[in-house]
Amino acid sequence: MSTELTSYQKDLLQHAEDVGALKFGTFTLKSGRISPYFINAGLLSTGPILSSVATAYAASVSSLPAFDVLFGPAYKGISFAACTALVLAAPPFARAVGFAYDRKEAKAHGEGGSLVGVPVRGKRVVVLDDVMTAGTAVRLAIEKIRAEGGEVVGVLQLLDREEVGAEDAEGSSTLREVERLVGGEGRVQSVLKMRDLIAWVREKGGREEQLEQMEAYRERYGRKD
Ligand code: OMP
């Protein structure tokens, strides 16, 4: 699989490795899969990095259908969605979109409810999150938005790990499963994919062991469709 990396993808991956947000080793994922790499997007938290991440998200939004609200799932999606709404408001995008996020715990007093930000009821919503593996996190966000009367028209991830989904028994990918949930092909986009990460590691050279482990992982859990 050959992949041409853009300079902003390379910069993002290098930044991520420099601040320890991209790590290679042995990691147990939420899905129980044992992965040779992990992205901790919470460490992408300096002003310059947030600015480049949000600009990359904003550039990827154009391939999704029109929407009113960017929804950032708690916790890591919150700052990313807020920053992306900010970037979208300025040139060259000049798009006014709302911003909302969820609480992990519902609040019974004050304004109550489980969502914060602009109301999603009757609105077209895009879920903007950090990493998609088996799709559990994004499904939860979709359910929360629907429960509040919003229509999810798309999903935007920083990294699509390009894996089989939680409904693996049917051999389908997380991407296809989530696309089906939110209206079909093209409705789930990402700034980076696992293939980009592999291409970047290969381009840097001298990391044969990492590459082999990543290829073996992809063989086992990578999407087949
Ligand atoms: P799924 O819910 O299986 O799609 O996994 C995505 C979530 O797992 C993310 O929202 C993170 O909380 C976490 N995660 C990472 O942050 N980085 C990774 O590289 C992999 C995972 C993961 O556990 O799969």
Side-chain angles (χ1 to χ4, degrees):
M1 207 181 287
S2 79
T3 298
E4 199 60 41
L5 291 175
T6 63
S7 61
Y8 79 78
Q9 285 176 321
K10 286 187 207 173
D11 289 350
L12 211 54
L13 286 165
Q14 191 59 57
H15 261 320
E17 189 168 47
D18 290 347
V19 298
L22 167 61
K23 281 197 179 324
F24 299 92
T26 304
F27 305 92
T28 303
L29 305 184
K30 208 166 81 181
S31 51
R33 299 172 192 176
I34 311 287
S35 168
Y37 75 97
F38 191 85
I39 288 224
N40 176 2
L43 288 172
L44 299 174
S45 289
T46 66
I49 295 177
L50 279 172
S51 169
S52 59
V53 169
T55 303
Y57 275 121
S60 307
V61 148
S62 60
S63 19
L64 289 171
F67 65 95
D68 313 297
V69 180
L70 266 185
F71 181 91
Y75 294 99
K76 292 172 191 164
I78 298 175
S79 51
F80 289 154
C83 292
T84 304
L86 202 73
V87 169
L88 282 172
F93 304 103
R95 282 179 69 175
V97 299
F99 157 60
Y101 60 95
D102 58 329
R103 301 178 202 278
K104 292 247 183 182
E105 307 288 337
K107 193 171 159 220
H109 59 281
E111 75 273 21
S114 68
L115 301 193
V116 186
V118 300
V120 298
R121 184 163 301 282
K123 297 284 170 40
R124 297 164 300 180
V125 182
V126 162
V127 177
L128 184 153
D129 208 359
D130 57 351
V131 177
M132 186 169 79
T133 304
T136 312
V138 70
R139 280 167 208 272
L140 186 65
I142 292 168
E143 275 169 28
K144 284 190 176 182
I145 295 160
R146 287 181 175 162
E148 295 287 331
E151 181 200 359
V152 181
V153 297
V155 169
L156 180 57
Q157 298 282 348
L158 183 61
L159 173 70
D160 175 3
R161 295 179 50 110
E162 299 188 292
E163 298 192 19
V164 289
E167 295 158 18
D168 181 10
E170 300 185 0
S172 64
S173 64
T174 302
L175 177 77
R176 295 281 173 249
E177 289 176 5
V178 179
E179 273 181 345
R180 272 198 297 276
L181 259 185
V182 300
E185 204 169 331
R187 295 286 183 110
V188 179
Q189 298 289 334
S190 57
V191 172
L192 291 163
K193 297 181 171 52
M194 192 206 188
R195 73 188 75 176
D196 302 320
L197 185 53
I198 289 183
W200 180 75
V201 172
R202 185 170 288 127
E203 203 175 294
K204 287 184 82 74
R207 298 185 177 195
E208 288 317 309
E209 203 184 320
Q210 274 171 14
L211 269 179
E212 272 171 33
Q213 288 169 353
M214 289 175 82
E215 292 291 6
Y217 182 83
R218 183 156 71 171
E219 194 55 42
R220 172 134 193 223
Y221 294 113
R223 50 179 292 213
K224 315 283 188 290
D225 55 0

